Amino acid sequence: MGALNIAKVGNPVLRKIADPVEPGRIGSRSFQNFIDDMFETMVQNEGIGLAAPQVSRSEQVVVMACEGEGGFPETVLINPKIVYYSPQVGEMWEGCLSVDNLRGKVTRPSTIRVQYVDRDGVPQDLEASGLYAVCIQHEMDHLVGKLFVDRMTDMSTLTQLAEFDEYWKQEPATVI
Ligand code: NI
């Protein structure tokens, strides 16, 4: 147990469609330990979300948490499905623990509704907006082999971290 290695862009595991989790496995010690290890990995790397394919496990599991204003509670999405996208969209700078040193602007629906099973095996139905909605969509993209760079519509916003800090940090946007 402990922090896991993060798969980086170029690793084929990041491009696979993740398998659904067998519901009977959710309560097992090994699966619960895996979720704890994912949270530890996310925190250690200063992320606010992590999907199982990013730790080389091609399963439909996402962990997320973001403290502070505009943040959201600890959330575990197992076998999630987005059942509603708002017509309103928002643009936000995104980054990814699997894509070192790069940021880019991505436009996504502002509000979504997602149905999933939590780590207790209980079905949930959640409406999320703002950063929460962005993070859910970003992490769920990992479950279908997509990275934020695939979602960028304006590649001219692709920015290295030092240049982001120099030129773009003042923008009212959040990096995930
Ligand atoms: Ni990511």
Side-chain angles (χ1 to χ4, degrees):
M1 283 190 290
L4 306 164
N5 287 330
I6 295 185
K8 302 293 181 175
V9 61
N11 187 323
V13 73
L14 293 172
R15 295 307 192 171
K16 289 173 67 176
I17 305 289
D19 293 325
V21 176
E22 179 68 40
R25 286 181 45 234
I26 294 173
S28 71
R29 173 73 62 90
S30 64
F31 190 80
Q32 292 293 318
N33 286 344
F34 175 60
I35 290 171
D36 290 338
D37 289 347
M38 283 185 68
F39 271 117
E40 188 175 337
T41 308
M42 182 190 85
V43 169
Q44 183 177 300
N45 290 278
E46 299 178 0
I48 62 171
L50 186 71
Q54 292 183 274
V55 290
S56 299
R57 203 154 131 172
S58 194
E59 285 189 303
Q60 295 179 22
V61 184
V62 165
V63 303
M64 305 190 303
C66 182
E67 290 178 0
E69 201 180 330
F72 46 83
E74 264 195 16
T75 307
V76 178
L77 309 176
I78 300 167
N79 301 340
K81 287 190 170 46
I82 294 179
V83 296
Y84 169 76
Y85 292 97
S86 68
Q88 297 81 20
V89 296
E91 185 180 62
M92 203 175 274
W93 287 99
E94 294 189 24
C96 180
L97 297 179
S98 293
V99 185
D100 288 342
N101 198 35
L102 289 176
R103 300 281 181 261
K105 279 186 176 179
V106 181
T107 300
R108 299 184 189 271
S110 305
T111 300
I112 56 150
R113 238 182 86 206
V114 60
Q115 294 176 345
Y116 62 97
V117 174
D118 68 19
R119 71 180 297 173
D120 297 318
V122 179
Q124 302 287 344
D125 191 319
L126 172 73
E127 185 174 290
S129 299
L131 180 63
Y132 204 7
V134 170
C135 190
I136 290 169
Q137 292 174 83
H138 176 115
E139 300 310 332
M140 285 183 63
D141 274 350
H142 282 299
L143 305 181
V144 292
K146 295 287 185 191
L147 300 170
F148 78 92
V149 286
D150 303 318
R151 300 300 190 199
M152 291 176 63
T153 51
D154 181 359
M155 290 302 286
S156 74
T157 68
L158 192 67
T159 304
Q160 295 199 137
L161 201 51
E163 283 67 26
F164 180 83
D165 288 343
E166 184 172 353
Y167 298 109
W168 303 106
K169 209 173 187 174
Q170 72 283 6
E171 289 211 353
T174 312
V175 171
I176 61 172

